[in-house]
Structure formats: C-alpha cells, structure tokens
Amino acid sequence: MNQAIVSAGEFAFNLGQLVSHRDQPMLSTVLHRQRATNGMEIYGVRRLVDRSPVPYLMMLGEVLIPVAVEDAEAVASAEEVWFDKGEALHAPLPA
C-alpha cells in the first residue's frame, strides 16, 4: 500500500473532518486523534448514520479515507443500503 509519510507534528485527518472506511461506507466525523509509540495514527470517530449500534469507534488512520462535504450524502445513502443488505453483521453481540 502506498502511504504518505507524516511528520511527528502532523496528522492525516483534522478534527471535525468527514471520513469513511476504505472497505465499506461509514460516514463519520473525527472527534479525537492520537499517535501510538510506533507512529501509527489512531482516530476516535463518530458514525453519522443513526442505525449504527456502535456509533463511537477507534480506527487506525490507515483504514480511513477523506470524504468531501459534497459527497457526504452519497456516502450516507450507500451506508444505509449496506445496512439493509447485511444488518445481521451489525447486530450487537450476545451478552
């Protein structure tokens, strides 16, 4: 995978920026960020689709992609379709 090198003071995503997962639609906003001792970026994100049973997630920066404001509605619509097709994948784990 081709990744950009980020200096110690910079992050790939800004606080409040819209992001999604690289492998599935997941419209989210960045709430907080930190860098691990190995240099990996870790982001706290909140999913913006209300149907998500787990709205707050910690994600590695390498799996996130930026979402332009003008594309946010399309990503949210794709995520709704994704929920409809695989809702069992998102059911809460049994206690």
Side-chain angles (χ1 to χ4, degrees), residues 50-83:
D50 291 333
R51 293 175 59 188
S52 175
V54 184
Y56 296 97
L57 300 167
M58 298 292 290
M59 307 289 293
L60 291 175
E62 63 189 30
V63 301
L64 296 175
I65 57 172
V67 174
V69 173
E70 57 270 10
D71 296 332
E73 188 173 331
V75 173
S77 296
E79 187 172 3
E80 288 289 346
V81 170
W82 192 79
F83 270 112

Side-chain angles (χ1 to χ4, degrees), residues 18-21 24-29 45-57 67 71-84 87 90:
L18 291 175
V19 294
S20 185
H21 193 279
Q24 70 185 42
M26 186 188 85
L27 185 62
S28 305
T29 188
V45 300
R46 183 181 191 305
R47 295 179 79 168
L48 300 178
V49 172
D50 291 333
R51 293 175 59 188
S52 175
V54 184
Y56 296 97
L57 300 167
V67 174
D71 296 332
E73 188 173 331
V75 173
S77 296
E79 187 172 3
E80 288 289 346
V81 170
W82 192 79
F83 270 112
D84 291 340
E87 193 145 6
H90 305 288

Side-chain angles (χ1 to χ4, degrees), residues 30-41:
V30 175
L31 298 179
H32 59 88
R33 60 193 182 184
Q34 63 191 46
R35 192 177 314 278
T37 56
N38 64 1
M40 296 183 84
E41 294 178 12

